[in-house]
Amino acid sequence: MSDMPIFAVTYTYADKPAVLDAFRPEHRAFLGGLLEQGTLLASGPLAQDVANPAGALLLVEAADEAGVAATLDADPFARENVITRRTVRPWVPVLGPWSDRI
């Protein structure tokens, strides 16, 4: 297991369901490549509700926040401008499969 920091990344998606649907296969293939490389630890959608637009949560391993940003700038959803907000925050797991890093 790597000793690089883990970052929690959230995406907020534009209300463009047709564009999201059209590019979702390419987006998932991109994320699958990151998973195979060991850069992506986990990802999945965040449900849309009255208070929150649709989005996603990704756990990414990288040397620093700039590395996370550079990696995710290549996401097809970023290219197609359907990510309206991206947050990148360091995350330190205390319990669970990645907690042996501390």
Side-chain angles (χ1 to χ4, degrees):
M1 183 160 294
S2 174
D3 60 352
M4 281 206 293
I6 298 174
F7 294 87
V9 179
T10 57
Y11 283 174
T12 301
Y13 295 140
D15 187 17
K16 298 180 180 179
V19 179
L20 288 163
D21 288 346
F23 290 94
R24 185 169 287 111
E26 188 180 352
H27 163 73
R28 288 193 175 161
F30 168 77
L31 294 178
L34 295 180
L35 185 66
E36 288 176 11
Q37 295 170 11
T39 301
L40 180 69
L41 301 176
S43 71
L46 294 170
Q48 182 175 1
D49 61 29
V50 174
N52 298 292
L57 172 66
L58 301 87
L59 297 178
V60 178
E61 222 178 23
D64 53 33
E65 289 183 36
V68 174
T71 297
L72 295 180
D73 283 348
D75 187 331
F77 277 2
R79 182 192 69 223
E80 298 301 322
N81 296 311
V82 292
I83 300 170
T84 60
R85 183 169 187 233
R86 179 177 70 193
T87 63
V88 178
R89 297 177 62 183
W91 181 63
V92 179
V94 176
L95 299 171
W98 302 292
S99 62
D100 62 347
R101 298 163 178 261
I102 57 173

